Amino acid sequence: MSDTPPILPWKTALPEGARVVVTGAAGGVGGHVVRMLAASGLDVVAIDRVGAVDAPVWEDLCSDGTDARVEWHEINLEYLQDLSGLLGSCEALVHCSALVSLTEGISDFDVQNTEVTRRLFDAAREVGVEHILYMSCAALYKPAAGMLDESSALALESAYERTKRAGEELLESGAFGEGWTILRPGHVYGPYCKTMGANFATLPPILRQYLSYLPGLSGGPRSTWCHAEDVARAVLFLLGREEARGEVFNVGDATPIGFGEVLTAVMEATGLEVAAMLPFPAS
């Protein structure tokens, strides 16, 4: 039995029983999206290169009693040429799958984050999917003082950021009408998450193997964090809403915290003793 608490979904604008395709269904965000949609009475076509029994979310779906609403497909979209069959009779597409890495080459990002995305959007248009929700990221923004909004300047510094922006531009080009919505969540953390921000949780236990104690940290560059389940709630809230079409939405809270506080919170959450507080460099 899973220890993950029950999902408490928000009200959705989609009718009960509507079919929604979710890519990256076994991922940190995609898993919560699948679980949230199924708990809301929607039928989910879940797609991931990981099989259902190996996906962390599957045990929670069985625990919720909503696994019957999920049709799981173990597929690598990079090698599937005809995507229209997966999208047929579906009202919406939530595209969460992406290559997330700091080490892969630009060609790998181009294939998985740009080319697969283009073919997926083309197939959605071909079969008449009414709403595409594309999971982008807040890493696209240029760092600046104060809170950033959807009109803030962008600075694409990595292959990951450039290809995520390319996916946004496919929708903004007008080729898919106004039937799309883009989400840019802040640093995502929580159950099922294993990449990027989630990796911070591994640092204190590793350091603790070599140090007798760990100092607490405060300050440093500030940013907002967002629990993966809250990102899924944003997806559920926006899907099928007319006022969300053709729009970009940031997802996060209004309380930016310093990187030092983030690491200190991880230390405390993993039961490590925190010594005297030290300032984290502001840059």
Side-chain angles (χ1 to χ4, degrees):
M1 182 68 68
S2 172
D3 293 329
T4 304
I7 280 282
L8 299 175
W10 287 0
K11 182 176 175 58
T12 175
L14 293 176
E16 183 174 355
R19 285 170 61 84
V20 181
V21 175
V22 179
T23 67
V29 172
H32 287 280
V33 171
V34 169
R35 194 172 174 221
M36 188 76 66
L37 298 184
S40 301
L42 303 178
D43 293 332
V44 181
V45 179
I47 302 172
D48 201 287
R49 65 181 65 190
V50 174
V53 295
D54 297 317
V57 68
W58 190 254
E59 182 180 356
D60 291 326
L61 289 168
C62 294
S63 177
D64 293 342
T66 56
D67 54 303
R69 285 196 170 275
V70 179
E71 176 186 316
W72 196 282
H73 294 267
E74 184 180 351
I75 293 173
N76 186 335
L77 293 174
E78 179 181 346
Y79 302 114
L80 183 65
Q81 295 304 311
D82 182 10
L83 300 175
S84 58
L86 292 170
L87 296 166
S89 74
C90 290
E91 295 188 30
L93 162 67
V94 183
H95 185 31
C96 297
S97 68
L99 174 62
V100 182
S101 172
L102 298 177
T103 59
E104 301 291 340
I106 182 61
S107 60
D108 296 311
F109 283 100
D110 281 337
V111 169
Q112 296 191 44
N113 292 359
T114 305
E115 179 60 22
V116 168
T117 297
R118 182 192 62 76
R119 292 196 295 110
L120 194 64
F121 291 170
D122 281 341
R125 176 179 54 186
E126 178 184 333
V127 301
V129 170
E130 296 182 6
H131 196 180
I132 297 173
L133 196 149
Y134 177 57
M135 193 63 61
S136 188
C137 65
L140 274 58
Y141 290 113
K142 180 179 180 180
M147 292 295 291
L148 304 178
D149 61 24
E150 291 81 356
S151 65
S152 297
L154 305 181
L156 311 179
E157 298 180 349
S158 70
Y160 171 70
E161 293 164 8
R162 289 193 292 273
T163 52
K164 292 305 286 185
R165 177 57 185 155
E168 293 186 355
E169 290 173 338
L170 286 172
L171 298 175
E172 294 174 343
S173 69
F176 305 93
E178 295 295 315
W180 55 265
T181 302
I182 295 170
L183 290 190
R184 293 175 180 163
H187 295 302
V188 178
Y189 70 98
Y192 316 152
C193 294
K194 295 179 291 185
T195 60
M196 302 302 277
N199 290 330
F200 294 146
T202 67
L203 295 178
I206 291 173
L207 293 174
R208 189 67 179 85
Q209 302 299 314
Y210 305 98
L211 300 173
S212 58
Y213 71 92
L214 290 173
L217 299 169
S218 63
R222 297 193 306 158
S223 58
T224 59
W225 290 70
C226 190
H227 195 283
E229 188 175 304
D230 289 329
V231 181
R233 293 184 191 281
V235 170
L236 182 68
F237 180 75
L238 293 170
L239 273 180
R241 295 190 183 276
E242 289 297 323
E243 58 268 39
R245 294 173 181 266
E247 298 289 343
V248 179
F249 295 99
N250 291 342
V251 185
D253 60 28
T255 310
I257 57 176
F259 186 68
E261 278 82 14
V262 173
L263 290 179
T264 300
V266 171
M267 294 179 205
E268 294 174 342
T270 53
L272 297 176
E273 182 179 352
V274 177
M277 298 295 289
L278 297 177
F280 194 93
S283 60

